[in-house]
Amino acid sequence: AAGVIQSPRHLIKEKRETATLKCYPIPRHDTVYWYQQGPGQDPQFLISFYEKMQSDKGSIPDRFSAQQFSDYHSELNMSSLELGDSALYFCASSLRYSGDTEAFFGQGTRLTVV
Amino acid sequence: GNSVTQMEGPVTLSEEAFLTINCTYTATGYPSLFWYVQYPGEGLQLLLKATKADDKGSNKGFEATYRKETTSFHLEKGSVQVSDSAVYFCALYNQGGKLIFGQGTELSVKP
């Protein structure tokens, strides 16, 4: 079965550079979530989109922005990268009003800022 | 606000030992509850879930019961294996449509 696809799997950037992370949800899923997991930490919610509109916002820095496109894929744009942005970034998708609240996670993108 | 609290790790057990990882939650309404597992270097995988009070989720020998009266969703397994070594996250899905995770509990099973 198709799963959530994230790209790239690994990314190394220098401080002050920009990074773009991509997420392709499970077909027909209408909701995408982004999470950030620092080393040894639990995943922290960043932002979510439902039907291409931002639906909720968590602890996402102003340097980060995200959007969901017409094909439902989502991109997380991160600018002026800092060392502390080094983390595993997860994308998840769900079908919001399916009656089943399960969110399916991608494998994550490991971002290292040097 | 909504939150999830898990017992701290790491938890170290011998193979075939009984496992309990405690999880309690604070939430308005009746959220769905989940256990996710993260193996080293991998993403989050759903282990089991329960969507209403007294529901029991189960998978791969793990089980957890949604207890509304104690706001708990403790994870149990009767006999752990080395391959169960991972980090386990308890989570709730609130009405706003996002998962809120506990801090994770690392399980290490020794042969």
Side-chain angles (χ1 to χ4, degrees), chain A residues 15 36-39 61 63-64 78 81-87 89 111 113-114:
Chain A
K15 282 194 303 184
Q36 176 192 57
Q37 185 181 27
R63 299 178 289 108
F64 294 6
M78 310 159 71
L81 287 169
E82 301 173 357
L83 295 178
D85 296 329
S86 296
Y89 290 84
L111 172 66
V113 181
V114 297

Side-chain angles (χ1 to χ4, degrees), chain B residues 18-76:
Chain B
F18 184 85
L19 168 72
T20 299
I21 300 179
N22 290 339
C23 170
T24 57
Y25 67 90
T26 301
T28 53
Y30 303 102
S32 295
L33 300 173
F34 304 83
W35 277 99
Y36 280 85
V37 58
Q38 186 174 32
Y39 297 101
E42 297 191 11
L44 291 162
Q45 299 176 29
L46 179 67
L47 182 59
L48 53 84
K49 65 180 180 181
T51 57
K52 61 183 187 295
D54 300 324
D55 263 3
K56 177 184 282 189
S58 60
N59 185 28
K60 299 181 183 179
F62 291 89
E63 58 182 36
T65 301
Y66 189 142
R67 301 284 188 201
K68 185 165 65 77
E69 62 278 7
T70 54
T71 61
S72 64
F73 193 55
H74 304 323
L75 182 68
E76 296 181 336

